[in-house]
Amino acid sequence: MSDIVPVKRALLSVSDKTGLADLGAMLQKNGVEILSTGGTARVLRESGIKIIDVSDYTGFPEMMGGRVKTLHPKIHGGLLALRGDQEHNDAAEAHEIPLIDLLVCNLYPFEETVRSNSSYQNCVENIDIGGPTMVRAAAKNFKNVSIVTSKNDYKSLIKELETFKGKTSLKFRELMS
């Protein structure tokens, strides 16, 4: 395993879309394949960014009112696979699970929703399941996967990718995890 890891495939799934188009444009410019979900995919597509919908990627539709979209072995296997581990490599190959090198994910605004005196049902729907699950998977595999959970870190990610010519350092991945 190298301390410097290329970013070839990224999954972007964010609640707060601030700065998303600029980040997506930079990733696209650097040849990164971008996977995305729902509203994030819409914003990127409207900004002229080429994306692959997670539902097309996994072969399963977003379902149950959006409650199930990223909870899939192709997503979690791609985030969790240890690069260089033969068993992981064999499983990824056997099950056609491409590796995901970067996760950009911020969570539903649950606390804000509750503070706004929103309806009980709306509060329940703002309990994020897939986002925290992906964040934990990527953070667990920080030696191989970069993760950004705040729009405030997009500039740091861009600088990192520029500095290392489309790659990230172990130091950056540890810091972001």
Side-chain angles (χ1 to χ4, degrees):
M1 179 198 71
S2 170
D3 284 353
I4 307 296
V5 175
V7 176
K8 298 176 185 173
R9 182 173 296 105
L11 172 54
L12 281 61
S13 182
V14 297
S15 179
D16 184 340
K17 313 294 191 264
T18 307
L20 181 63
D22 291 338
L23 178 61
M26 188 281 283
L27 292 172
Q28 181 173 275
K29 183 180 125 193
N30 285 287
V32 176
E33 180 181 80
I34 302 171
L35 311 173
S36 193
T37 60
T40 303
R42 181 183 43 75
V43 168
L44 290 167
R45 199 175 279 115
E46 287 172 357
S47 299
I49 313 293
K50 183 180 175 194
I51 62 102
I52 298 169
D53 284 294
V54 163
S55 58
D56 293 334
Y57 180 75
T58 63
F60 279 85
E62 194 171 300
M63 61 180 84
M64 299 178 188
R67 283 182 166 201
V68 178
K69 48 190 159 204
T70 58
L71 297 170
H72 191 278
K74 275 186 112 169
I75 299 299
H76 293 282
L79 291 169
L80 286 165
L82 296 173
R83 282 58 164 173
D85 180 294
Q86 195 59 51
E87 180 185 346
H88 287 226
N89 292 342
D90 291 347
E93 186 176 327
H95 298 285
E96 299 177 350
I97 299 173
L99 303 178
I100 299 171
D101 309 302
L102 168 65
L103 174 67
V104 178
C105 181
N106 56 57
L107 308 180
Y108 297 159
F110 177 73
E111 290 178 4
E112 288 175 22
T113 303
V114 170
R115 279 194 301 268
S116 74
N117 292 320
S118 192
S119 71
Y120 175 80
Q121 188 58 38
N122 192 42
C123 290
V124 167
E125 291 310 314
N126 274 276
I127 298 172
D128 200 333
I129 305 300
T133 305
M134 290 189 299
V135 166
R136 291 182 84 136
K140 180 174 183 167
N141 199 12
F142 71 91
K143 290 184 179 177
N144 302 288
V145 178
S146 298
I147 179 172
V148 174
T149 59
S150 172
K151 65 184 180 209
N152 299 328
D153 292 323
Y154 291 177
K155 286 182 183 178
S156 296
L157 172 62
I158 291 168
K159 182 179 179 191
E160 181 79 0
L161 291 170
E162 288 172 349
T163 299
F164 292 101
K165 298 177 176 58
K167 301 173 184 176
T168 62
S169 65
L170 180 58
K171 181 178 179 180
F172 176 81
R173 295 189 305 277
E174 287 175 327
L175 180 66
M176 292 292 121
S177 289

